[in-house]
Amino acid sequence: LKALLASMASGEEITVCDDEVRSRYSHLEKMTDLVAVWEVALSDGVHKIEFEHGTTSGKRVVYVDGKEEIRREWMFKLVGKETFTVGATKTKAAINIDAVSGFAYEYTLEINGKSLKQYIENRLKTTNTWILNLGGTDYRIVLEKDTMDVWCNGQKMETAGEFVEDGTETHFTVADHSCCIKAVSSGKRKEGIIHTLIVDNREIPEAVE
């Protein structure tokens, strides 16, 4: 093991091991290289995306829900794009790295080819989300309106759909509780179809994420 010699003011010499220097440096680097954190609501849950960018070494690290997805060391080019997937649905994501001025950089997240803002706006139109507590457990239920797929806490649910007099009903079960999403026309072109979640004959208010 190679050792480094450091000279003290008193003239004494102390020995510092490579491993110690490396561990101290890597800890400091980990603290200072985190440049962006995003939270993205998908059908299977809310996912946390973290990005580390070492502007001296060019290092790029992407974490999704605390798990390392991408690691690149010693990248000569400091700007560029990193692509990866998020969640059980394998949703496509990308982080763009752009130089703003001098040594300043801007980091933007894209989901399914859209900026995060555009993705959120589009998602509000194409999904409904409800959050409820059953028997002491929190459940997040998401309806994808274009496919009528229903997700609960990251799992795609088995559903049964039927036509009724004033629209459609989609039935499923959560923790032995009877659930039904009713789809009824609002009668207004701009509002379109209104989706309502009924659990044990009780209407659940929609959540805004």
Side-chain angles (χ1 to χ4, degrees):
L1 175 68
K2 185 184 173 186
L4 301 176
L5 293 176
S7 180
M8 301 286 284
S10 62
E12 295 177 10
E13 287 186 338
I14 60 167
T15 303
V16 183
C17 296
D18 268 351
D19 285 351
E20 190 181 347
V21 173
R22 194 177 297 115
S23 68
R24 285 180 184 177
Y25 175 74
S26 64
H27 178 66
L28 178 67
E29 186 180 49
K30 189 171 181 65
M31 287 173 61
T32 56
D33 285 350
L34 184 65
V35 293
V37 179
W38 298 274
E39 285 197 342
V40 182
L42 300 180
S43 294
D44 68 322
V46 180
H47 299 278
K48 187 176 182 180
I49 298 170
E50 298 170 285
F51 184 53
E52 290 183 10
H53 187 217
T55 53
T56 50
S57 65
K59 180 188 77 173
R60 300 179 192 176
V61 187
V62 176
Y63 298 94
V64 178
D65 298 327
K67 181 184 175 186
E68 186 177 297
E69 293 293 329
I70 295 173
R71 175 176 287 273
R72 303 190 197 283
E73 305 279 2
W74 304 106
M75 297 282 289
F76 181 73
K77 193 176 180 182
L78 292 176
V79 296
K81 177 184 279 194
E82 294 296 338
T83 58
F84 51 99
T85 61
V86 180
T89 53
K90 297 292 181 187
T91 301
K92 291 179 182 177
I95 295 172
N96 293 300
I97 309 158
D98 298 296
V100 181
S101 60
F103 292 100
Y105 296 87
E106 184 177 74
Y107 309 93
T108 53
L109 177 68
E110 290 180 2
I111 303 291
N112 279 339
K114 296 183 175 70
S115 70
L116 187 57
K117 184 183 176 183
Q118 289 173 326
Y119 171 78
I120 291 170
E121 288 172 353
N122 183 65
R123 183 171 175 78
L124 287 172
K125 297 173 187 173
T126 59
T127 64
N128 290 88
T129 302
W130 298 271
I131 294 172
L132 64 153
N133 186 287
L134 296 172
T137 302
D138 291 325
Y139 293 95
R140 178 179 178 269
I141 295 172
V142 178
L143 169 69
E144 294 181 350
K145 291 190 275 191
D146 52 350
T147 61
M148 292 304 290
D149 286 340
V150 177
W151 293 76
C152 179
N153 287 8
Q155 299 293 321
K156 193 173 175 180
M157 306 299 288
E158 290 283 341
T159 61
E162 65 172 326
F163 289 97
V164 292
E165 191 176 334
D166 53 354
T168 64
E169 292 184 352
T170 302
H171 298 269
F172 57 100
T173 302
V174 174
D176 295 327
H177 292 266
S178 175
C179 305
C180 171
I181 296 174
K182 291 187 174 183
V184 180
S185 174
S186 64
K188 298 175 184 177
R189 191 173 176 183
K190 281 189 177 180
E191 289 184 28
I193 296 171
I194 297 173
H195 296 87
T196 307
L197 174 64
I198 309 292
V199 178
D200 296 337
N201 298 314
R202 178 171 61 98
E203 184 175 326
I204 307 298
E206 191 175 347
V208 178
E209 293 183 316

